[in-house]
Amino acid sequence: VALGLYFPRKKEYSENVYLDEPAGTPLLRIHALRDSREEVAHFHLCHNLIAPRARPQENNWFQIREETGLLYLSKSLDREDFNMLSAGNWMPLSKVVLYVFLSSHPFQEKECDSATRTMVFLSLINATAPACSSLTARQLCFSEMDLSFHIKENKPPGTFHQLRLPSVHHLCQNLSISYKLLAGEGVPFRYNENTTGVRVTQRLDREERERYELIAKCTVREGLREMQVEVPFLVNVLDEDDSPPFLPNGTDTADAVVEFNRKEGTVLSTLTVYDADTTPIYPLESSRKKYTGTIITDDPWISETFHVEHIFDEIHFSPNGSQVRGTRHEY
């Protein structure tokens, strides 16, 4: 079933906005991945922005480029704006929320409520942007968000993150900031030095591997001074129910010998079924309903006297030396 475009970050996005940054300042880049090759991503800001201590405000300050997902300042945020968005409370920081919506075709405003969306938390800081020379390598290279992504299995390849921070690249042009993605051989991710984009290069298979742990390395050069910082870069593969359950050794029957005078509750036979595709779902009743055990008989006495008990637990498979979660069902 095609579910459409999706955001590779499960959590919301966040960024800082300072007073008097000029209109046109890029803030952050939001990416989308496709469910099918034909899709083209369109981004849109719908509705007002949400200021926790104030009434919802008309968004006069932020815009997003529909084709690229680049969020930017369309109007400089001055002190009067800050006071309005913080409901007149003096404070060093105020947070507002924007909703970014995603569609495979150009947006109509009425579509906003039915489209895929994510939240962007903007921290409005009651100060002008700090000098680039005062920022640490960590601040220059990476945002406060974890570099953690969720990519669906069996979906087309595509770019899902840009390492370079748009705001830093715009404001700190005198600094040289370069990146590398440290990964093992054969990992299906590629880093483009020209765009600083990270791309998944092939369709993923969660039953082969469900987690990739890479390292993003950043080098900052200012004159003769050089600083380096490394952070984890994690990719989790989201499951699609695409693999049938299987039986160990292909055995799909089990003999049961019934002797007289067996006590109630006596186990007569067992049959084990493995499912590498899913893990136990909570509440557990959901997993129990997925696979049921039934005695096929026309004899009412057998139906009344015997029943199948279903027990299941999470196990780990190890294809290609990588641990993948699955479920063992015992009947």
Side-chain angles (χ1 to χ4, degrees), residues 95-301:
K95 287 202 172 187
V96 298
V97 180
L98 290 170
Y99 290 101
V100 175
F101 290 77
L102 182 61
S103 175
S104 57
H105 54 267
F107 252 90
Q108 306 289 328
E109 187 74 26
K110 64 180 183 295
E111 295 177 304
C112 285
D113 291 330
S114 61
T116 301
R117 74 176 189 180
T118 191
M119 296 170 71
V120 178
F121 286 85
L122 297 173
S123 296
L124 309 183
I125 298 172
N126 192 5
T128 55
C132 296
S133 58
S134 69
L135 298 175
T136 64
R138 178 71 172 80
Q139 292 170 312
L140 290 165
C141 292
F142 303 108
S143 73
E144 296 171 7
M145 294 183 289
D146 293 337
L147 294 183
S148 179
F149 306 91
H150 294 76
I151 298 178
K152 295 179 182 179
E153 68 171 339
N154 305 321
K155 303 305 178 189
T159 299
F160 62 94
H161 183 63
Q162 185 180 46
L163 285 168
R164 180 175 62 213
L165 299 180
S167 56
V168 171
H169 182 66
H170 180 77
L171 296 171
C172 305
Q173 297 183 11
N174 292 333
L175 296 178
S176 169
I177 303 175
S178 59
Y179 295 90
K180 284 186 178 179
L181 191 64
L182 308 180
E185 288 292 322
V187 171
F189 306 103
R190 292 289 177 272
Y191 169 65
N192 184 321
E193 288 188 7
N194 296 323
T195 64
T196 75
V198 182
R199 178 179 178 82
V200 55
T201 59
Q202 64 189 53
R203 294 172 184 263
L204 303 180
D205 184 352
R206 194 204 70 91
E207 286 71 65
E208 290 295 321
R209 186 165 177 175
E210 67 170 323
R211 184 176 171 88
Y212 295 86
E213 299 181 10
L214 300 83
I215 298 288
K217 179 179 179 180
C218 176
T219 303
V220 181
R221 295 182 182 87
E222 184 180 16
L224 298 175
R225 191 166 67 118
E226 182 176 293
M227 299 177 288
Q228 292 186 337
V229 61
E230 296 181 358
V231 298
F233 189 103
L234 308 175
V235 178
N236 296 283
V237 184
L238 294 183
D239 191 65
E240 186 176 57
D241 203 353
D242 63 336
S243 299
F246 62 94
L247 300 137
N249 304 320
T251 306
D252 63 357
T253 58
D255 293 331
V257 177
V258 185
E259 299 177 348
F260 286 105
N261 299 325
R262 295 297 89 185
K263 292 183 179 180
E264 184 177 341
T266 299
V267 176
L268 302 172
S269 184
T270 61
L271 187 65
T272 301
V273 180
Y274 290 105
D275 186 355
D277 196 55
T278 58
T279 58
I281 304 166
Y282 297 92
L284 291 178
E285 207 51 44
S286 300
S287 284
R288 205 178 302 280
K289 289 175 181 175
K290 185 172 181 183
Y291 300 121
T292 58
T294 306
I295 298 174
I296 301 174
T297 178
D298 295 328
D299 188 331
W301 179 82

